[in-house]
Amino acid sequence: MKHFISFADLTHDEVMELLDTAEVLKEKRARGKLTDLLKNRSLAMFFEKSSTRTRVSFEVSMSDLGGQSIFLSSKDLQIGRGETIADTAVVLSRYVHCIAARVNEHSTLLEIAAHSSVPVINALSDVEHPCQILSDLLTIREYKNHFKGLKYVWVGDGNNVCNSAILGCAIVGMQMVVACPPGYEPNAKIIEQARELGGDITIMSDPFEAVKGADVLYTDVWISMGDEHEIDKRLNDLKAYQIDPKLLSFAKSDAIVMHCMPAHRGQEITAEVMDGPQSVVYDQAENRLHAQKALLMKLID
Ligand code: CP
Ligand code: NVA
Protein backbone atom coordinates (compact mmCIF):
# COMPACT_ATOMS: atom_id res chain seq x y z
CA MET A 1 0.00 0.00 0.00
CA LYS A 2 1.18 3.49 -0.81
CA HIS A 3 -0.22 6.89 0.06
CA PHE A 4 -0.18 9.92 -2.26
CA ILE A 5 0.50 12.75 0.16
CA SER A 6 3.28 14.56 -1.67
CA PHE A 7 4.03 14.68 -5.38
CA ALA A 8 7.42 13.26 -4.42
CA ASP A 9 5.71 10.00 -3.41
CA LEU A 10 5.88 9.16 -7.13
CA THR A 11 8.98 8.25 -9.10
CA HIS A 12 9.58 9.43 -12.66
CA ASP A 13 8.51 6.04 -14.03
CA GLU A 14 5.37 5.96 -11.90
CA VAL A 15 4.38 9.42 -13.17
CA MET A 16 4.82 8.32 -16.78
CA GLU A 17 2.88 5.12 -16.17
CA LEU A 18 0.00 7.09 -14.59
CA LEU A 19 -0.06 9.56 -17.49
CA ASP A 20 -0.14 6.69 -20.00
CA THR A 21 -3.03 5.04 -18.15
CA ALA A 22 -4.86 8.38 -17.91
CA GLU A 23 -4.47 8.89 -21.66
CA VAL A 24 -5.97 5.46 -22.39
CA LEU A 25 -8.86 6.06 -19.98
CA LYS A 26 -9.51 9.48 -21.50
CA GLU A 27 -9.67 8.04 -24.97
CA LYS A 28 -11.96 5.20 -23.84
CA ARG A 29 -14.35 7.63 -22.15
CA ALA A 30 -14.47 9.77 -25.30
CA ARG A 31 -15.65 6.65 -27.17
CA GLY A 32 -18.28 6.06 -24.49
CA LYS A 33 -16.42 3.06 -23.10
CA LEU A 34 -16.31 2.87 -19.33
CA THR A 35 -14.72 0.07 -17.38
CA ASP A 36 -15.59 -1.66 -14.14
CA LEU A 37 -12.02 -1.82 -12.90
CA LEU A 38 -13.01 -0.52 -9.46
CA LYS A 39 -16.25 -2.48 -9.11
CA ASN A 40 -17.17 -3.02 -5.47
CA ARG A 41 -14.54 -0.50 -4.36
CA SER A 42 -15.31 2.59 -2.29
CA LEU A 43 -13.61 5.93 -1.80
CA ALA A 44 -14.25 8.09 1.28
CA MET A 45 -13.77 11.79 0.65
CA PHE A 46 -12.99 13.66 3.86
CA PHE A 47 -13.18 17.41 3.12
CA GLU A 48 -12.52 20.29 5.52
CA LYS A 49 -12.54 22.90 2.72
CA SER A 50 -14.67 23.82 -0.30
CA SER A 51 -14.14 22.18 -3.68
CA THR A 52 -15.69 22.05 -7.14
CA ARG A 53 -13.17 20.24 -9.39
CA THR A 54 -11.56 17.87 -6.91
CA ARG A 55 -14.82 16.69 -5.41
CA VAL A 56 -16.66 16.18 -8.68
CA SER A 57 -13.73 14.62 -10.55
CA PHE A 58 -13.13 12.08 -7.76
CA GLU A 59 -16.83 11.23 -7.52
CA VAL A 60 -17.19 10.78 -11.28
CA SER A 61 -13.90 8.82 -11.41
CA MET A 62 -15.28 6.25 -9.00
CA SER A 63 -18.65 5.99 -10.70
CA ASP A 64 -17.09 5.72 -14.21
CA LEU A 65 -14.93 2.85 -12.93
CA GLY A 66 -17.87 1.02 -11.40
CA GLY A 67 -17.13 1.90 -7.78
CA GLN A 68 -18.63 4.41 -5.40
CA SER A 69 -17.56 7.47 -3.44
CA ILE A 70 -18.87 8.83 -0.17
CA PHE A 71 -18.49 12.58 0.38
CA LEU A 72 -17.91 13.46 4.02
CA SER A 73 -17.82 17.09 5.00
CA SER A 74 -15.87 17.34 8.25
CA LYS A 75 -18.76 19.47 9.56
CA ASP A 76 -21.10 16.48 9.39
CA LEU A 77 -18.77 13.93 10.95
CA GLN A 78 -18.43 13.20 14.66
CA ILE A 79 -15.08 15.06 14.46
CA GLY A 80 -17.16 18.21 14.88
CA ARG A 81 -18.24 16.84 18.26
CA GLY A 82 -14.77 15.88 19.43
CA GLU A 83 -14.01 12.46 17.91
CA THR A 84 -10.31 12.20 17.06
CA ILE A 85 -8.83 12.22 13.56
CA ALA A 86 -7.06 8.97 14.43
CA ASP A 87 -10.28 7.12 15.35
CA THR A 88 -12.00 8.53 12.27
CA ALA A 89 -9.19 7.28 10.02
CA VAL A 90 -9.12 3.81 11.56
CA VAL A 91 -12.89 3.43 11.27
CA LEU A 92 -13.18 4.80 7.71
CA SER A 93 -10.47 2.46 6.53
CA ARG A 94 -12.45 -0.51 7.88
CA TYR A 95 -15.21 0.41 5.40
CA VAL A 96 -13.56 1.82 2.28
CA HIS A 97 -10.63 1.01 0.01
CA CYS A 98 -9.15 4.51 -0.21
CA ILE A 99 -9.49 7.90 1.52
CA ALA A 100 -9.09 11.26 -0.24
CA ALA A 101 -8.71 14.12 2.23
CA ARG A 102 -8.74 17.91 1.77
CA VAL A 103 -7.47 19.45 4.98
CA ASN A 104 -6.67 22.79 6.56
CA GLU A 105 -3.44 21.60 8.14
CA HIS A 106 -1.05 19.20 6.41
CA SER A 107 -0.49 17.52 9.80
CA THR A 108 -4.12 16.31 9.71
CA LEU A 109 -3.39 14.48 6.48
CA LEU A 110 -0.29 12.88 7.98
CA GLU A 111 -2.35 11.77 10.96
CA ILE A 112 -5.02 10.25 8.74
CA ALA A 113 -2.32 8.42 6.77
CA ALA A 114 -0.64 7.19 9.95
CA HIS A 115 -3.86 5.59 11.19
CA SER A 116 -5.42 4.44 7.93
CA SER A 117 -5.07 0.86 6.77
CA VAL A 118 -5.95 1.93 3.19
CA PRO A 119 -4.20 4.38 0.81
CA VAL A 120 -4.70 8.07 1.56
CA ILE A 121 -4.71 10.73 -1.18
CA ASN A 122 -3.92 14.39 -0.56
CA ALA A 123 -6.87 16.22 -2.15
CA LEU A 124 -5.19 19.54 -1.13
CA SER A 125 -3.54 20.73 2.06
CA ASP A 126 -1.89 24.01 2.99
CA VAL A 127 1.43 22.50 1.83
CA GLU A 128 0.68 20.57 -1.38
CA HIS A 129 -1.90 19.78 -4.07
CA PRO A 130 -0.31 16.79 -5.83
CA CYS A 131 -3.45 15.61 -7.70
CA GLN A 132 -3.56 18.98 -9.46
CA ILE A 133 0.01 18.63 -10.67
CA LEU A 134 -0.47 15.06 -11.85
CA SER A 135 -3.30 16.18 -14.13
CA ASP A 136 -1.41 19.32 -15.17
CA LEU A 137 1.43 17.12 -16.38
CA LEU A 138 -1.08 15.24 -18.52
CA THR A 139 -2.19 18.58 -20.01
CA ILE A 140 1.39 19.75 -20.63
CA ARG A 141 2.23 16.46 -22.33
CA GLU A 142 -0.86 16.77 -24.55
CA TYR A 143 0.25 20.23 -25.75
CA LYS A 144 4.02 19.84 -25.77
CA ASN A 145 4.51 16.07 -26.23
CA HIS A 146 7.47 15.97 -23.83
CA PHE A 147 8.82 17.52 -20.62
CA LYS A 148 12.61 17.60 -20.77
CA GLY A 149 13.99 21.06 -21.42
CA LEU A 150 10.68 22.90 -21.11
CA LYS A 151 10.66 26.09 -19.05
CA TYR A 152 7.78 26.21 -16.56
CA VAL A 153 7.28 29.63 -14.94
CA TRP A 154 5.12 30.15 -11.87
CA VAL A 155 4.00 33.74 -11.30
CA GLY A 156 2.47 34.96 -8.02
CA ASP A 157 2.05 33.32 -4.63
CA GLY A 158 4.43 30.42 -3.93
CA ASN A 159 1.58 28.38 -2.46
CA ASN A 160 0.51 24.74 -2.06
CA VAL A 161 0.00 24.20 -5.81
CA CYS A 162 3.39 25.81 -6.50
CA ASN A 163 5.07 23.46 -4.00
CA SER A 164 3.71 20.39 -5.77
CA ALA A 165 4.65 21.91 -9.15
CA ILE A 166 8.25 22.33 -7.96
CA LEU A 167 8.42 18.62 -7.14
CA GLY A 168 6.61 17.67 -10.35
CA CYS A 169 8.99 19.71 -12.53
CA ALA A 170 12.00 18.18 -10.80
CA ILE A 171 10.68 14.65 -11.30
CA VAL A 172 9.84 15.00 -15.01
CA GLY A 173 12.82 17.22 -15.90
CA MET A 174 11.28 20.64 -16.58
CA GLN A 175 13.16 23.81 -15.63
CA MET A 176 11.15 25.70 -12.99
CA VAL A 177 11.27 29.42 -12.33
CA VAL A 178 9.13 31.03 -9.63
CA ALA A 179 8.51 34.80 -9.74
CA CYS A 180 7.06 36.02 -6.44
CA PRO A 181 7.37 38.99 -4.11
CA PRO A 182 9.57 38.67 -1.02
CA GLY A 183 7.70 36.77 1.67
CA TYR A 184 5.69 34.72 -0.85
CA GLU A 185 8.39 32.16 -1.68
CA PRO A 186 7.47 28.48 -1.90
CA ASN A 187 8.27 26.08 0.95
CA ALA A 188 12.05 26.02 1.52
CA LYS A 189 12.14 22.32 2.45
CA ILE A 190 10.32 21.40 -0.75
CA ILE A 191 12.74 23.46 -2.85
CA GLU A 192 15.63 21.63 -1.18
CA GLN A 193 13.96 18.25 -1.71
CA ALA A 194 13.33 19.06 -5.39
CA ARG A 195 16.96 20.08 -5.88
CA GLU A 196 18.04 16.78 -4.33
CA LEU A 197 15.86 15.08 -6.94
CA GLY A 198 17.85 16.90 -9.62
CA GLY A 199 15.47 19.84 -10.07
CA ASP A 200 16.58 23.06 -11.77
CA ILE A 201 14.72 25.68 -9.70
CA THR A 202 15.17 29.44 -9.63
CA ILE A 203 13.28 31.80 -7.35
CA MET A 204 13.24 35.47 -8.36
CA SER A 205 11.15 38.56 -7.86
CA ASP A 206 11.05 40.07 -11.38
CA PRO A 207 8.12 38.50 -13.29
CA PHE A 208 9.28 39.83 -16.71
CA GLU A 209 12.75 38.37 -16.31
CA ALA A 210 11.24 35.07 -15.14
CA VAL A 211 8.77 34.72 -18.01
CA LYS A 212 11.35 35.22 -20.81
CA GLY A 213 11.31 32.11 -23.00
CA ALA A 214 8.65 30.30 -20.95
CA ASP A 215 6.90 27.28 -22.47
CA VAL A 216 4.38 27.08 -19.63
CA LEU A 217 3.09 30.05 -17.65
CA TYR A 218 1.19 29.19 -14.48
CA THR A 219 -0.64 31.15 -11.81
CA ASP A 220 -3.08 30.53 -9.00
CA VAL A 221 -5.25 32.64 -6.70
CA TRP A 222 -3.57 35.24 -4.51
CA ILE A 223 -5.84 34.37 -1.61
CA SER A 224 -5.86 30.65 -0.98
CA MET A 225 -8.36 29.00 1.34
CA GLY A 226 -7.18 29.90 4.82
CA ASP A 227 -5.56 33.22 3.75
CA GLU A 228 -8.77 35.23 3.98
CA HIS A 229 -7.53 37.15 7.05
CA GLU A 230 -4.95 39.00 4.90
CA ILE A 231 -6.89 39.84 1.75
CA ASP A 232 -5.88 43.51 1.51
CA LYS A 233 -2.20 42.84 2.18
CA ARG A 234 -2.05 40.08 -0.42
CA LEU A 235 -3.88 42.07 -3.12
CA ASN A 236 -1.37 44.86 -2.59
CA ASP A 237 1.80 42.72 -2.33
CA LEU A 238 0.95 40.62 -5.40
CA LYS A 239 -0.47 43.27 -7.74
CA ALA A 240 2.68 43.41 -9.91
CA TYR A 241 2.38 39.66 -10.56
CA GLN A 242 -0.77 39.60 -12.67
CA ILE A 243 -0.58 37.57 -15.89
CA ASP A 244 -1.74 40.07 -18.50
CA PRO A 245 -1.07 40.29 -22.26
CA LYS A 246 2.14 42.29 -21.69
CA LEU A 247 3.66 39.71 -19.33
CA LEU A 248 2.52 36.89 -21.62
CA SER A 249 4.32 38.56 -24.56
CA PHE A 250 7.65 37.80 -22.81
CA ALA A 251 6.96 34.04 -23.01
CA LYS A 252 7.51 31.92 -26.13
CA SER A 253 4.87 32.63 -28.77
CA ASP A 254 3.53 29.06 -28.38
CA ALA A 255 3.52 29.12 -24.57
CA ILE A 256 0.48 27.70 -22.81
CA VAL A 257 -1.16 29.52 -19.90
CA MET A 258 -2.30 27.39 -16.98
CA HIS A 259 -4.37 28.00 -13.85
CA CYS A 260 -5.61 25.30 -11.49
CA MET A 261 -8.87 27.26 -10.90
CA PRO A 262 -10.90 28.69 -9.25
CA ALA A 263 -9.66 31.87 -10.98
CA HIS A 264 -10.18 35.51 -10.12
CA ARG A 265 -10.12 37.43 -13.38
CA GLY A 266 -8.72 40.90 -12.74
CA GLN A 267 -6.50 39.69 -9.87
CA GLU A 268 -3.87 37.03 -10.67
CA ILE A 269 -4.84 36.88 -14.36
CA THR A 270 -6.73 39.14 -16.75
CA ALA A 271 -9.89 37.91 -18.46
CA GLU A 272 -8.17 38.46 -21.82
CA VAL A 273 -5.44 35.92 -20.98
CA MET A 274 -7.62 33.48 -19.01
CA ASP A 275 -10.11 33.29 -21.89
CA GLY A 276 -7.53 33.81 -24.65
CA PRO A 277 -6.10 31.42 -27.26
CA GLN A 278 -3.08 30.33 -25.18
CA SER A 279 -5.14 29.34 -22.15
CA VAL A 280 -5.57 25.62 -21.50
CA VAL A 281 -7.38 25.96 -18.19
CA TYR A 282 -10.47 23.93 -19.06
CA ASP A 283 -8.35 21.05 -20.35
CA GLN A 284 -6.56 21.13 -17.01
CA ALA A 285 -9.86 20.95 -15.16
CA GLU A 286 -11.07 18.04 -17.34
CA ASN A 287 -7.82 16.16 -16.94
CA ARG A 288 -8.34 15.99 -13.18
CA LEU A 289 -10.85 13.25 -13.98
CA HIS A 290 -8.60 11.14 -16.20
CA ALA A 291 -5.45 11.48 -14.09
CA GLN A 292 -7.25 10.69 -10.83
CA LYS A 293 -8.81 7.59 -12.34
CA ALA A 294 -5.33 6.33 -13.11
CA LEU A 295 -4.22 7.21 -9.59
CA LEU A 296 -7.17 5.47 -7.94
CA MET A 297 -6.58 2.33 -9.99
CA LYS A 298 -2.92 2.25 -9.00
CA LEU A 299 -3.53 2.86 -5.29
CA ILE A 300 -6.62 0.69 -4.84
CA ASP A 301 -5.17 -2.19 -6.79
N1 CP B 1 -8.21 23.06 -8.65
C1 CP B 1 -8.96 22.58 -7.64
O1 CP B 1 -8.51 21.76 -6.82
O2 CP B 1 -10.23 23.05 -7.61
P1 CP B 1 -11.31 22.82 -6.46
O3 CP B 1 -10.86 23.62 -5.26
O4 CP B 1 -12.59 23.33 -7.05
O5 CP B 1 -11.37 21.37 -6.12
N1 NVA C 1 -4.10 27.60 -3.71
C1 NVA C 1 -5.52 27.38 -3.76
C2 NVA C 1 -5.82 26.24 -4.65
C3 NVA C 1 -7.28 25.91 -4.82
C4 NVA C 1 -7.50 24.73 -5.70
C5 NVA C 1 -6.06 27.15 -2.36
O1 NVA C 1 -5.41 26.46 -1.57
O2 NVA C 1 -7.12 27.68 -2.04
Side-chain angles (χ1 to χ4, degrees):
M1 187 205 70
K2 201 179 159 186
H3 300 304
F4 187 47
I5 303 292
S6 165
F7 197 87
D9 290 334
L10 295 174
T11 63
H12 173 271
D13 289 355
E14 284 172 327
V15 172
M16 296 305 154
E17 184 197 318
L18 286 170
L19 298 185
D20 290 346
T21 306
E23 219 170 77
V24 171
L25 291 168
K26 182 170 182 173
E27 194 262 331
K28 276 196 176 158
R29 190 176 201 260
R31 284 191 285 120
K33 283 200 166 181
L34 302 177
T35 63
D36 60 0
L37 291 159
L38 293 182
K39 193 162 185 269
N40 298 327
R41 298 287 186 272
S42 304
L43 169 73
M45 297 169 55
F46 170 94
F47 275 47
E48 292 182 330
K49 294 182 183 185
S50 310
S51 172
T52 298
R53 281 144 289 272
T54 307
R55 175 179 178 174
V56 177
S57 56
F58 267 117
E59 291 192 3
V60 175
S61 292
M62 286 305 287
S63 80
D64 275 7
L65 294 171
Q68 65 159 331
S69 57
I70 304 152
F71 183 79
L72 303 164
S73 157
S74 57
K75 289 187 210 104
D76 301 327
L77 293 172
Q78 292 287 10
I79 280 179
R81 297 182 59 254
E83 186 167 23
T84 64
I85 292 285
D87 281 347
T88 307
V90 172
V91 171
L92 286 180
S93 60
R94 295 279 181 112
Y95 299 130
V96 301
H97 303 89
C98 188
I99 299 171
R102 172 167 282 203
V103 298
N104 293 317
E105 310 273 338
H106 195 72
S107 57
T108 305
L109 198 59
L110 298 179
E111 201 176 348
I112 295 172
H115 293 91
S116 168
S117 55
V118 298
V120 174
I121 297 173
N122 180 353
L124 183 145
S125 74
D126 53 340
V127 179
E128 276 204 56
H129 194 7
C131 293
Q132 179 68 50
I133 298 308
L134 184 64
S135 43
D136 289 344
L137 291 178
L138 181 61
T139 309
I140 293 171
R141 201 171 74 166
E142 285 172 349
Y143 279 91
K144 300 287 175 192
N145 295 312
H146 69 290
F147 297 117
K148 290 247 179 316
L150 293 182
K151 181 174 176 183
Y152 177 121
V153 180
W154 179 280
V155 181
D157 184 18
N159 63 16
N160 46 2
V161 179
C162 180
N163 289 332
S164 289
I166 286 174
L167 292 168
C169 284
I171 290 168
V172 303
M174 284 190 283
Q175 181 198 355
M176 169 110 189
V177 179
V178 179
C180 62
Y184 290 82
E185 293 86 1
N187 184 297
K189 277 192 190 142
I190 288 185
I191 297 173
E192 195 185 315
Q193 187 184 5
R195 286 189 175 135
E196 277 163 16
L197 289 166
D200 174 356
I201 302 139
T202 310
I203 314 291
M204 57 169 75
S205 55
D206 182 344
F208 292 96
E209 189 57 34
V211 169
K212 274 185 198 158
D215 297 285
V216 176
L217 199 49
Y218 205 119
T219 192
D220 183 16
V221 290
W222 289 343
I223 296 132
S224 284
M225 292 179 277
D227 292 335
E228 294 81 0
H229 59 289
E230 46 184 33
I231 295 180
D232 292 343
K233 178 177 166 23
R234 286 178 162 267
L235 291 180
N236 188 50
D237 292 349
L238 287 151
K239 62 176 185 261
Y241 292 81
Q242 183 186 63
I243 300 190
D244 62 8
K246 185 177 171 208
L247 187 60
L248 178 57
S249 73
F250 281 68
K252 281 192 184 151
S253 57
D254 64 350
I256 54 171
V257 175
M258 304 184 81
H259 191 310
C260 60
M261 303 177 89
H264 291 86
R265 290 168 177 79
Q267 290 185 18
E268 73 275 4
I269 192 164
T270 62
E272 198 176 346
V273 175
M274 180 78 185
D275 304 316
Q278 286 170 266
S279 169
V280 300
V281 298
Y282 298 120
D283 292 318
Q284 285 179 261
E286 178 188 331
N287 281 337
R288 297 293 304 275
L289 175 64
H290 312 300
Q292 283 158 201
K293 275 186 191 172
L295 180 70
L296 287 163
M297 281 167 47
K298 180 177 171 65
L299 292 179
I300 295 180
D301 224 14

